Amino acid sequence: MIPAPFDYVAPTSLADALAALADSGDEVKVLAGGQSLLPILRMRLNAPDRVVDLGRVEELRGITEEGDSIVIGAMTTYAELLASDVVREHAGLLTKAVQEVADPQIRHRGTVGGALVHADPAGDVGAPVLALEAELVITGPAGQRTVPATEFFQDLFETAVGEGELLTAIRVPRHTGWGSHYEKFVRVVHQWSIVAVGATVRVENGLIAEARIGLTNMGSTPLRARAVEDALVGGPATQDSVREACAAAAEGTNPPSDLNGDSDYRRHLATVLSRRAVLAAAGV
Amino acid sequence: MTRISVTVDGVGYQDEVEPRLLLVQYLREQLGKTGTVVGCDTSNCGACTVHLDGHSVKSCTVLAVQADGHDVTTIEGIARDGELHPMQQAFHECHALQCGYCTPGMIMQAIDVLNDNPHPSEEEIRLGLEGNLCRCTGYHNIVKAVQQVAGAQAPAEAAVAMPATAGAQVQA
Ligand SMILES: Cc1cc2nc3c(=O)[nH]c(=O)nc-3n(C[C@H](O)[C@H](O)[C@H](O)COP(=O)(O)OP(=O)(O)OC[C@H]3O[C@@H](n4cnc5c(N)ncnc54)[C@H](O)[C@@H]3O)c2cc1C
Ligand code: FES
Ligand code: FES
């Protein structure tokens, strides 16, 4: 199918992009990589009057190091993120998760910012961003504000990015020396996660010193498995101990039921995938 | 209408297009390059794969206006002086197609896989083609064709790169 007609603007600076949003009506859509938006427009699930394409705003692209953080421009593509040694070394969980997103063609176009604002609970970028305790930089007519990941994800397809605002960057604290793994469960390749678990842990002398775990598709937003984290910390990085801690993975979750599995099945998956993710992250 | 200027298969074009025009429609309907086909409505099948600035994309999921100022290569632009591209030749020799509908996209993606990784393992080839669906072949001969080209690129490694693989399905 073909999208309904719309006006198209392709600003070349952030200031122009914000201005283009400000002088558009309500029916405006931001276009990043288009890998979610274009399918939606083709299906006519949405028919904006105007599309503001961020594809030519160079300042929103690229990965830089700033003090204790890695700063990822919102328009950085999955493929660019995967090619980054800095991300691999200091925020390895993101690399591991993005490897599992869709397929190579979609990873050439899709952006980290687009994925986060789209906020599909089955999307693979949210849980690592939450687990890595990243901050999201949002820019609007009133200037720039920074929100923690815990406040960014608000509901199904809903984030802290308001009307007239753009997600401009993701600040990820360095997790240098942490092991990480993203365990995604699907029935066929290049499918959305039925459930996935991202784990990043710091092991010291055989003990788990710190652990952060993010759950994908276990509720309307990405979730932290805090009970598992608490149970892991201070314990040995062994099969038995990790298995016991991961039994709590579904605590506080509210997973959906659909054709891929009911919510009890997803709760079970969360415990199994958490164990696999933590063991792989800890190198056990 | 928006004015765009794109290079397609080495030739520069300037056109007025509707912003909603998909790149694949532009290629097929405006330029007559019907070698690139549409196989789905969901961005899943990969039949429409072309290269944009040297990287594979699904041309049903890119607007023609997004290609403004960029370089597009389609299946129609990879043969040279009447000689098939090595990947086209290998698909032919390995019988890597049956109905042929997935073939233009499959070949463009297979070229992208080897551009990124000239010596992929069988599993890397299968994962590299995960966004391209084939309803006929069972993928086995497609993988063989890619291995044949990879082997030819590095004769020394051909022996290791081309075992008679049993087609182990990649587990996602
Ligand atoms: C076949 C297929 C399979 C897929 N499989 C997976 C998968 O396995 N895992 C996964 O995680 N994802 C998957 N995806 C989705 C993919 O990751 C999308 O690319 C991603 O969700 C959106 O990123 P984008 O840059 O393409 O954004 P777009 O599609 O351009 O935009 C998405 C939404 O975000 C808004 N937006 C984008 N950027 C900004 C910004 N900077 N500020 C404010 N608003 C913004 C847009 O207005 C739009 O509403 C799949 C998609 C397809 C088509
Ligand atoms: S037609 Fe483009 S992915 Fe199917
Ligand atoms: S050969 Fe028929 S779909 Fe691939």
Side-chain angles (χ1 to χ4, degrees):
Chain A
M1 274 176 69
I2 298 167
F6 51 78
D7 274 352
Y8 173 79
V9 236
T12 53
S13 69
L14 176 56
D16 286 352
L18 290 169
L21 283 180
D23 66 32
S24 305
D26 291 348
E27 299 300 318
V28 60
K29 267 287 174 192
V30 171
L31 174 64
Q35 302 304 292
S36 288
L37 185 61
L38 294 180
I40 289 170
L41 298 188
R42 275 195 328 239
M43 297 289 192
R44 306 232 176 163
L45 298 173
N46 200 315
D49 293 335
R50 177 182 256 198
V51 167
V52 177
D53 181 2
L54 300 182
R56 294 170 203 276
V57 183
E58 278 307 314
E59 65 202 277
L60 293 180
R61 285 200 123 88
I63 296 163
T64 52
E65 295 179 82
E66 272 179 36
D68 284 339
S69 301
I70 310 299
V71 182
I72 302 168
M75 285 297 291
T76 305
T77 63
Y78 293 128
E80 287 161 352
L81 183 136
L82 289 176
S84 164
D85 292 334
V86 169
V87 174
R88 188 181 310 273
E89 188 176 339
H90 303 291
L93 182 56
L94 261 180
T95 308
K96 296 273 170 70
V98 167
Q99 276 166 350
E100 301 300 322
V101 171
D103 54 52
Q105 292 99 314
I106 289 170
R107 294 195 296 266
H108 283 143
R109 297 292 296 169
T111 66
V112 179
L116 292 170
V117 180
H118 188 58
D120 189 312
D124 296 302
V125 187
V129 159
L130 186 68
L132 290 166
E133 305 191 334
E135 293 180 325
L136 293 304
V137 183
I138 298 172
T139 310
Q144 185 175 304
R145 64 199 174 94
T146 300
V147 300
T150 43
E151 289 167 30
F152 181 80
F153 301 104
Q154 297 189 338
D155 205 346
L156 211 65
F157 304 113
E158 254 177 57
T159 70
V161 178
E163 235 169 76
E165 290 187 319
L166 292 170
L167 174 64
T168 44
I170 301 101
R171 304 182 71 93
V172 189
R174 279 175 206 272
H175 284 64
T176 318
W178 292 53
S180 47
H181 187 76
Y182 190 74
E183 185 77 17
K184 172 167 171 170
F185 186 80
V186 285
R187 292 185 201 283
V188 294
V189 289
H190 112 306
Q191 194 186 6
W192 294 81
S193 287
I194 295 173
V195 174
V197 178
T200 190
V201 301
R202 192 166 63 76
V203 179
E204 241 178 52
N205 306 322
L207 295 181
I208 295 182
E210 287 180 276
R212 309 199 203 290
I213 294 161
L215 307 175
T216 300
N217 215 12
M218 286 296 290
S220 57
T221 65
L223 297 170
R224 276 287 279 275
R226 300 269 185 193
V228 178
E229 295 176 2
D230 292 344
L232 284 170
V233 169
T238 59
Q239 292 270 356
D240 286 348
S241 165
V242 169
R243 177 192 304 269
E244 208 174 299
C246 289
E251 215 170 86
T253 64
N254 183 20
S257 284
D258 57 30
L259 286 176
N260 284 313
D262 62 20
S263 52
D264 282 343
Y265 177 61
R266 282 192 163 84
R267 282 193 187 90
H268 170 69
L269 275 179
T271 63
V272 175
L273 302 178
S274 294
R275 169 165 52 82
R276 290 184 192 162
V278 172
L279 288 172
V284 179
Chain B
M1 300 291 261
T2 302
R3 188 156 191 81
I4 61 168
S5 120
V6 274
T7 304
V8 181
D9 296 335
V11 178
Y13 297 89
Q14 297 216 333
D15 272 304
E16 297 279 332
V17 298
E18 262 194 282
R20 64 169 165 163
L21 188 75
L22 305 173
L23 178 59
V24 70
Q25 291 175 280
Y26 175 68
L27 295 172
R28 290 176 57 84
E29 292 163 24
Q30 211 140 333
L31 303 187
K33 288 186 173 275
T34 51
T36 303
V37 296
V38 175
C40 74
D41 245 341
T42 52
S43 303
N44 272 280
C45 77
C48 63
T49 301
V50 300
H51 293 181
L52 186 61
D53 295 337
H55 298 292
S56 61
V57 301
K58 294 181 171 177
S59 62
C60 70
T61 315
V62 177
L63 298 170
V65 288
Q66 290 178 288
D68 180 27
H70 295 278
D71 194 89
V72 178
T73 306
T74 77
I75 187 71
E76 298 190 28
I78 58 173
R80 284 282 166 275
D81 307 324
E83 296 271 321
L84 292 181
H85 183 282
M87 192 64 78
Q88 291 174 303
Q89 188 66 35
F91 268 59
H92 173 62
E93 287 168 12
C94 297
H95 194 55
L97 58 141
Q98 290 178 21
C99 82
Y101 202 82
C102 68
T103 311
M106 202 61 91
I107 288 180
M108 295 311 286
Q109 182 54 25
I111 294 172
D112 186 86
V113 169
L114 294 191
N115 284 346
D116 279 356
N117 178 1
H119 307 295
S121 63
E122 179 185 340
E123 177 165 348
E124 287 168 335
I125 293 171
R126 288 182 183 270
L127 279 176
L129 299 175
E130 70 182 313
N132 293 72
L133 302 181
C134 176
R135 287 299 183 232
C136 305
T137 66
Y139 303 97
H140 191 60
N141 287 351
I142 293 174
V143 174
K144 269 198 200 155
V146 183
Q147 286 174 321
Q148 176 166 315
V149 177
Q153 282 174 353
E157 289 181 42
V160 240
M162 288 182 57
T165 45
Q169 199 62 42
V170 169
Q171 285 284 320

